Amino acid sequence: MKYNVFISYRREGGKDYARIIKPELKSRGLEVFLDFDELKDGKFDKRILDAIEEAPIFMIILSKGSLDRCVNEDDWVRQEILHAEKHGKHIIPVEVDRTFRNIPDYIPDDIKQIVGQHQFSQIDTETLLQASINELVDNRIRPNLNTEEVEKKQNIRIENCAEIHIETDCNCSVYDFHKEIMHAIEGEDNVIYLKKGKHKLEFIHDDNEDIKIEKKIEITDIDYCDLIEITFAEELEKKHEEQKLLSSEEMFQQGEDLYNQGKYTEAIESYRKSAELGNAKAQFKLGRCFDRGEGVEQNYAEAVKWYKKSAEQGDADAQNSLGNCYEHGDGIEQNYKEAIKWYLKAVEKEHKLAQRNLGNLYYFGYGVEQNYAEAVKWYRKSAEQGDAEAQYVLGYMYTEEQGVEQNYAEAVIWYRKSAEQGNAYAQNDLGSCYYNGEGVEQNYEEAVKWYKKSAEQGVAGAQYNLGNRYYNGEGVEQDYTEAIKWYRMSAEQGDADAQNSLGVMYDNGQGVEQNYIEAVKWYRKSAEQGNAMAQYNLGILYENGYGVEQDKRKALEWYEKSAKQGYKYAKDRIILNKIIE
């Protein structure tokens, strides 16, 4: 088959749009390649690339996040775009329902240039599908095709078929013997062309796939023309009555039981039934399932839809979650003012997560003027209700004198509350308070206890601190092997201090066999992050030719980098080298 249009799309978020657009293009006489429909077996990769070469038009569906994975060289969407460009195809980026925001900065330049240099076509599947498809075909596709050939195909298609008009009171998908042939829009004249013979048409409601209307027709004459009116109102009412057999609260509790058993898919059905009857708690839980991708494909826009329904009924959990969506731009355009509005509604009900989230906005100055004192106010409210993260941040603000007077004793109180709930960062900072004797009597054993709890949760700073305690024998028996273990864990996470310390141990042969090459490796990683001690240590190895070829010029370069940060020994080394010269 010779294709006119190749449709490229990202399955997550783009598949449904591609399935709507394809039958619309086919009804206008175009031959369309869509891998979901065309490839049933065979060598998929080769057949896809061959189809791109056949089709003069390469259409890329731009849905939310559709280009994100193009940073990977083996990403298939990226390969399709590059293959289309290589073979000189006319590229048409199609933005559907305004779900695609912009091309991210981190996308490779070749993809950014290929997609970005073309005008984006807008498709509105909700209210203007037919008009926007017509504009796409007339202005973007036909001018780049053999128009006579396409019109001939369209005429053949129409001449050999009967014309059926469809009017519907709800948007729906139309199937003929279970094969989707079009998407019908409420209030529009939807036209399909059917060949002679028997047809079993199914009309499936967009918002509720359980609601179906069947129509069987037989086409005996291609001159036949008919109007099919589809009314979902009666079916919707029946469904509504069926749902009322169980109260919304009973259905919600049923959903809760299923959810707690880990049966997320079944829970969603119960939540949905309850939510559609207006249960605010069910609406929130349904939104959260879409938010987290539990039992359903993750869909932030759908999460926002249900959060908003619940939030408008006064559910504090939903108000907080909706504020969070506005804050981060998940499923909706980022809007800090709207985030603050919903957080404030939630905090009226003393919602501790909303209090902490509001504190975050004041701390960073998002949507409001930065105000540490106001941040402290909200963090304190949340912390007093037991929120571990707010307790940790409040302790940190007492340590750093942000919005409050510096008070280590008060910091220790909040670090401890958070640490005892398992907050790894609070455990590390509490360990440091015990080690330094800040806000509490100095106690190395207690410091080690909290460092270890934090380190075992993977906090790089705590792993480094614990390594130091084993290195120096503070609060534990000195043990270089154990020190090496924790330094390495931290260093492999990129902690510059730990990388330098690990280098020192290889340099001196402490806990490991002396290995200058390994020492150079870890000193360099730390030095390149700006660690002054590591820069000095790396200079020493270059000056003496340990682990690297002796190079006094490179040694001096590293001494100078270290000296610029005020490291005394590096300054002394520079002076000594000048004297020797």
Side-chain angles (χ1 to χ4, degrees), residues 73-88:
E73 291 187 1
D74 60 351
D75 178 66
W76 193 243
V77 171
R78 172 177 177 164
Q79 292 183 47
E80 289 179 349
I81 294 171
L82 293 175
H83 197 71
E85 177 72 5
K86 175 182 176 182
H87 289 273

Side-chain angles (χ1 to χ4, degrees), residues 246-480:
L246 280 174
S247 72
S248 66
E249 186 61 30
E250 287 175 335
M251 285 185 285
F252 169 68
Q253 290 301 329
Q254 185 180 81
E256 289 285 83
D257 292 340
L258 290 166
Y259 183 90
N260 292 332
Q261 294 171 38
K263 299 177 180 179
Y264 299 136
T265 304
E266 294 94 327
I268 281 175
E269 292 309 308
S270 295
Y271 285 150
R272 190 188 297 277
K273 289 175 182 178
S274 180
E276 287 172 352
L277 288 175
N279 186 292
K281 292 179 292 184
Q283 290 167 343
F284 164 67
K285 287 297 183 70
L286 184 58
R288 194 174 67 174
C289 286
F290 277 108
D291 199 343
R292 297 178 176 178
E294 294 176 330
V296 69
E297 187 175 344
Q298 191 176 52
N299 187 327
Y300 292 128
E302 195 70 11
V304 167
K305 164 186 164 182
W306 290 107
Y307 284 153
K308 188 169 288 188
K309 288 179 182 291
S310 179
E312 287 172 349
Q313 292 195 69
D315 186 274
D317 289 327
Q319 289 168 341
N320 174 64
S321 294
L322 183 58
N324 207 259
C325 290
Y326 274 112
E327 180 182 347
H328 299 288
D330 291 334
I332 200 165
E333 187 175 349
Q334 189 179 53
N335 187 325
Y336 290 125
K337 288 186 178 179
E338 278 294 304
I340 291 170
K341 163 188 163 182
W342 288 106
Y343 286 150
L344 285 172
K345 287 181 181 292
V347 300
E348 286 176 3
K349 302 175 183 69
E350 302 296 324
H351 195 281
K352 67 180 180 181
L353 298 185
Q355 291 167 339
R356 185 232 293 165
N357 289 332
L358 200 52
N360 289 341
L361 295 183
Y362 277 105
Y363 185 91
F364 293 106
Y366 294 153
V368 290
E369 187 174 342
Q370 189 179 49
N371 188 326
Y372 287 145
E374 193 69 12
V376 165
K377 164 188 163 183
W378 291 109
Y379 285 140
R380 190 184 303 281
K381 287 178 180 289
S382 180
E384 287 173 348
Q385 290 198 72
D387 184 79
E389 188 172 331
Q391 291 167 341
Y392 164 65
V393 177
L394 187 57
Y396 178 82
M397 296 185 81
Y398 272 110
T399 299
E400 298 299 317
E401 199 171 0
Q402 294 178 330
V404 288
E405 284 188 26
Q406 190 176 58
N407 188 327
Y408 288 115
E410 193 70 16
V412 165
I413 290 171
W414 293 109
Y415 283 151
R416 189 185 307 281
K417 288 178 182 291
S418 182
E420 288 174 348
Q421 291 194 68
N423 186 290
Y425 295 99
Q427 290 167 344
N428 180 47
D429 286 2
L430 182 58
S432 293
C433 287
Y434 273 110
Y435 179 75
N436 296 312
E438 294 174 331
V440 68
E441 187 176 342
Q442 190 176 52
N443 187 323
Y444 290 152
E445 287 79 8
E446 275 295 300
V448 167
K449 165 188 163 182
W450 290 108
Y451 284 148
K452 184 168 288 188
K453 288 179 181 290
S454 179
E456 287 173 348
Q457 291 196 66
V459 175
Q463 292 166 343
Y464 168 68
N465 289 333
L466 187 56
N468 282 340
R469 304 293 75 77
Y470 277 107
Y471 183 87
N472 294 314
E474 297 169 326
V476 289
E477 187 176 340
Q478 189 178 53
D479 187 333
Y480 288 147

